[in-house]
Coordinates of all heavy atoms in Angstrom, one line a residue:
L1 N 0.8 -1.2 0.0 CA 0.0 0.0 0.0 C 0.8 1.3 0.0 O 0.3 2.4 -0.1 CB -1.0 0.0 1.2 CG -2.1 -1.0 1.1 CD1 -2.9 -1.1 2.4 CD2 -3.0 -0.6 -0.1
A2 N 2.2 1.1 0.1 CA 3.0 2.3 0.1 C 3.3 2.7 -1.4 O 4.5 2.7 -1.8 CB 4.3 2.0 0.8
T3 N 2.3 3.0 -2.1 CA 2.4 3.4 -3.5 C 1.5 4.5 -3.8 O 0.5 4.7 -3.1 CB 2.2 2.2 -4.5 OG1 2.6 2.6 -5.8 CG2 0.8 1.7 -4.4
I4 N 1.9 5.4 -4.7 CA 1.1 6.6 -5.0 C -0.3 6.3 -5.4 O -0.6 5.4 -6.2 CB 1.8 7.4 -6.2 CG1 3.1 7.9 -5.7 CG2 0.9 8.5 -6.7 CD1 4.0 8.4 -6.8
G5 N -1.2 7.0 -4.7 CA -2.7 6.9 -5.0 C -3.5 5.9 -4.2 O -4.7 6.0 -4.1
T6 N -2.8 5.0 -3.5 CA -3.6 4.1 -2.7 C -4.3 4.7 -1.5 O -5.3 4.3 -1.1 CB -2.7 2.9 -2.2 OG1 -1.6 3.3 -1.4 CG2 -2.2 2.0 -3.4
G7 N -3.6 5.8 -0.9 CA -4.3 6.5 0.1 C -5.5 7.3 -0.4 O -6.5 7.4 0.4
D8 N -5.5 7.7 -1.6 CA -6.7 8.3 -2.2 C -7.8 7.3 -2.4 O -9.0 7.6 -2.2 CB -6.3 9.0 -3.5 CG -5.3 10.0 -3.4 OD1 -5.4 10.9 -2.5 OD2 -4.3 10.0 -4.2
V9 N -7.4 6.1 -2.7 CA -8.4 5.0 -2.8 C -9.1 4.8 -1.4 O -10.3 4.7 -1.3 CB -7.8 3.7 -3.3 CG1 -8.8 2.6 -3.3 CG2 -7.3 3.9 -4.8
L10 N -8.3 4.8 -0.4 CA -8.8 4.6 1.0 C -9.7 5.7 1.3 O -10.8 5.5 1.9 CB -7.6 4.5 2.0 CG -8.0 4.5 3.5 CD1 -8.9 3.3 3.8 CD2 -6.8 4.6 4.4
T11 N -9.3 7.0 1.1 CA -10.2 8.1 1.3 C -11.5 8.0 0.6 O -12.6 8.3 1.2 CB -9.5 9.4 1.0 OG1 -8.3 9.5 1.8 CG2 -10.3 10.6 1.2
G12 N -11.5 7.6 -0.6 CA -12.7 7.4 -1.4 C -13.6 6.3 -0.8 O -14.8 6.4 -0.8
M13 N -13.0 5.2 -0.3 CA -13.7 4.2 0.3 C -14.4 4.7 1.6 O -15.6 4.4 1.8 CB -12.8 3.0 0.6 CG -12.3 2.2 -0.6 SD -11.2 0.9 -0.1 CE -12.2 -0.2 0.7
I14 N -13.7 5.4 2.4 CA -14.2 6.0 3.6 C -15.4 6.9 3.3 O -16.5 6.7 3.8 CB -13.2 6.8 4.4 CG1 -12.1 5.9 4.9 CG2 -13.9 7.5 5.6 CD1 -10.9 6.6 5.5
G15 N -15.2 7.7 2.3 CA -16.3 8.6 1.9 C -17.6 7.9 1.4 O -18.7 8.2 1.7
A16 N -17.3 6.8 0.6 CA -18.4 6.0 0.1 C -19.2 5.3 1.2 O -20.5 5.4 1.2 CB -17.9 5.0 -0.9
L17 N -18.5 4.7 2.1 CA -19.2 4.0 3.2 C -19.9 5.1 4.1 O -21.0 4.8 4.6 CB -18.2 3.2 4.0 CG -17.6 2.0 3.3 CD1 -16.5 1.4 4.1 CD2 -18.7 1.0 3.0
W18 N -19.3 6.2 4.3 CA -19.9 7.2 5.2 C -21.2 7.7 4.5 O -22.2 7.9 5.1 CB -18.9 8.3 5.3 CG -19.1 9.4 6.4 CD1 -20.1 9.5 7.3 CD2 -18.2 10.5 6.6 NE1 -19.9 10.6 8.0 CE2 -18.8 11.2 7.7 CE3 -17.0 10.9 6.0 CZ2 -18.2 12.4 8.2 CZ3 -16.4 12.0 6.5 CH2 -17.0 12.8 7.6
A19 N -21.1 8.0 3.1 CA -22.3 8.5 2.4 C -23.4 7.4 2.4 O -24.5 7.8 2.3 CB -21.8 8.8 1.0
R20 N -23.1 6.2 2.5 CA -24.1 5.1 2.5 C -24.7 5.0 3.9 O -25.6 4.1 4.1 CB -23.5 3.8 2.0 CG -23.2 3.8 0.6 CD -23.0 2.5 -0.1 NE -24.0 1.5 0.2 CZ -25.0 1.2 -0.5 NH1 -25.2 1.9 -1.6 NH2 -25.8 0.2 -0.2
G21 N -24.3 5.8 4.9 CA -24.9 5.8 6.2 C -24.2 5.2 7.3 O -24.6 5.2 8.5
L22 N -22.9 4.7 7.1 CA -22.2 4.2 8.2 C -21.7 5.4 9.1 O -21.4 6.5 8.5 CB -21.0 3.4 7.8 CG -21.2 2.0 7.2 CD1 -19.9 1.3 6.9 CD2 -22.0 1.2 8.2
E23 N -21.7 5.2 10.4 CA -21.1 6.2 11.3 C -19.7 6.5 10.9 O -19.0 5.6 10.4 CB -21.3 5.7 12.7 CG -21.0 6.7 13.8 CD -19.6 6.7 14.2 OE1 -18.8 5.7 14.1 OE2 -19.1 7.8 14.7
T24 N -19.2 7.6 11.1 CA -17.8 8.1 10.7 C -16.7 7.1 11.0 O -16.0 6.7 10.2 CB -17.5 9.5 11.3 OG1 -18.6 10.4 11.0 CG2 -16.2 10.0 10.7
E25 N -16.6 6.7 12.3 CA -15.6 5.8 12.7 C -15.7 4.5 12.2 O -14.8 3.8 11.8 CB -15.5 5.7 14.3 CG -14.8 6.8 14.9 CD -14.7 6.6 16.4 OE1 -14.2 5.5 16.9 OE2 -15.0 7.5 17.2
V26 N -16.9 4.0 12.1 CA -17.2 2.6 11.5 C -16.8 2.7 10.0 O -16.2 1.7 9.5 CB -18.7 2.2 11.7 CG1 -19.0 0.9 11.0 CG2 -19.0 2.2 13.2
A27 N -17.1 3.7 9.3 CA -16.8 3.8 7.9 C -15.2 3.8 7.8 O -14.7 3.1 6.9 CB -17.3 5.1 7.3
A28 N -14.6 4.6 8.6 CA -13.1 4.6 8.6 C -12.4 3.3 8.8 O -11.6 2.8 8.1 CB -12.6 5.7 9.5
R29 N -12.9 2.6 9.9 CA -12.2 1.4 10.2 C -12.6 0.2 9.2 O -11.8 -0.6 8.9 CB -12.4 0.9 11.6 CG -13.7 0.6 12.1 CD -13.7 0.2 13.6 NE -15.1 -0.2 14.0 CZ -15.8 0.6 14.9 NH1 -15.3 1.6 15.4 NH2 -17.0 0.1 15.2
S30 N -13.8 0.3 8.7 CA -14.2 -0.7 7.7 C -13.4 -0.5 6.5 O -13.0 -1.5 5.9 CB -15.7 -0.6 7.5 OG -16.5 -0.9 8.6
A31 N -13.4 0.7 6.0 CA -12.6 1.0 4.8 C -11.2 0.6 4.9 O -10.6 0.0 4.0 CB -12.7 2.5 4.4
A32 N -10.6 0.9 6.1 CA -9.1 0.6 6.3 C -8.9 -1.0 6.2 O -8.0 -1.4 5.6 CB -8.7 1.1 7.6
H33 N -9.8 -1.7 6.8 CA -9.7 -3.1 6.8 C -9.9 -3.7 5.4 O -9.0 -4.5 4.9 CB -10.8 -3.8 7.7 CG -10.9 -5.2 7.6 ND1 -10.0 -6.1 8.1 CD2 -11.8 -6.0 6.9 CE1 -10.3 -7.3 7.8 NE2 -11.4 -7.3 7.0
W34 N -10.9 -3.3 4.7 CA -11.1 -3.9 3.3 C -10.1 -3.4 2.3 O -9.8 -4.1 1.4 CB -12.6 -3.6 2.9 CG -13.5 -4.5 3.7 CD1 -14.4 -4.1 4.7 CD2 -13.6 -5.9 3.6 NE1 -15.0 -5.2 5.2 CE2 -14.5 -6.3 4.6 CE3 -13.0 -6.9 2.8 CZ2 -14.9 -7.6 4.8 CZ3 -13.3 -8.2 3.1 CH2 -14.2 -8.6 4.0
H35 N -9.6 -2.2 2.5 CA -8.5 -1.6 1.7 C -7.3 -2.5 1.8 O -6.7 -2.9 0.8 CB -8.3 -0.2 2.2 CG -7.2 0.6 1.5 ND1 -6.0 0.8 2.0 CD2 -7.2 1.2 0.3 CE1 -5.3 1.6 1.2 NE2 -6.0 1.8 0.1
G36 N -7.0 -2.9 3.0 CA -5.8 -3.7 3.2 C -6.1 -5.2 2.7 O -5.2 -5.7 2.1
R37 N -7.3 -5.7 2.9 CA -7.6 -7.0 2.4 C -7.5 -7.1 0.9 O -6.9 -8.0 0.3 CB -9.0 -7.4 2.8 CG -9.1 -7.7 4.3 CD -8.6 -9.1 4.7 NE -9.1 -10.2 3.9 CZ -10.2 -10.9 4.2 NH1 -11.0 -10.6 5.2 NH2 -10.6 -11.9 3.4
A38 N -8.0 -6.0 0.2 CA -8.0 -6.0 -1.2 C -6.5 -5.9 -1.7 O -6.2 -6.5 -2.7 CB -8.8 -4.8 -1.8
A39 N -5.7 -5.1 -1.1 CA -4.3 -4.9 -1.5 C -3.6 -6.2 -1.3 O -2.8 -6.7 -2.1 CB -3.7 -3.8 -0.7
A40 N -3.8 -6.9 -0.2 CA -3.1 -8.2 0.1 C -3.5 -9.2 -1.0 O -2.7 -10.0 -1.5 CB -3.5 -8.7 1.5
A41 N -4.8 -9.3 -1.3 CA -5.3 -10.2 -2.4 C -4.6 -9.9 -3.7 O -4.2 -10.7 -4.5 CB -6.8 -10.2 -2.4
R42 N -4.6 -8.6 -4.0 CA -4.0 -8.1 -5.3 C -2.6 -8.4 -5.4 O -2.1 -8.9 -6.5 CB -4.3 -6.6 -5.4 CG -3.9 -6.1 -6.8 CD -5.0 -6.5 -7.7 NE -4.7 -6.0 -9.1 CZ -5.5 -6.3 -10.1 NH1 -6.6 -6.9 -9.9 NH2 -5.1 -5.8 -11.3
T43 N -1.8 -8.3 -4.3 CA -0.4 -8.5 -4.4 C 0.0 -9.9 -4.7 O 1.1 -10.2 -5.1 CB 0.3 -7.9 -3.2 OG1 1.7 -7.7 -3.5 CG2 0.2 -8.8 -2.0

């Protein structure tokens, strides 16, 4: 995940989950978890 743009993907995920109604902290930790899972699977 230490590559250009992946943090922007994380921010977008947080915003998308938040916009869908998740509470702010829940959106942040959910996005962080799935962001990492997706990166690990991709690698």
Side-chain angles (χ1 to χ4, degrees):
L1 288 170
T3 189
I4 294 171
T6 58
D8 299 316
V9 172
L10 173 60
T11 299
M13 291 175 69
I14 294 168
L17 292 172
W18 195 2
R20 290 195 49 96
L22 288 183
E23 190 271 334
T24 308
E25 276 185 54
V26 175
R29 68 179 179 248
S30 297
H33 170 76
W34 289 108
H35 181 254
R37 291 280 309 269
R42 187 71 182 183
T43 199

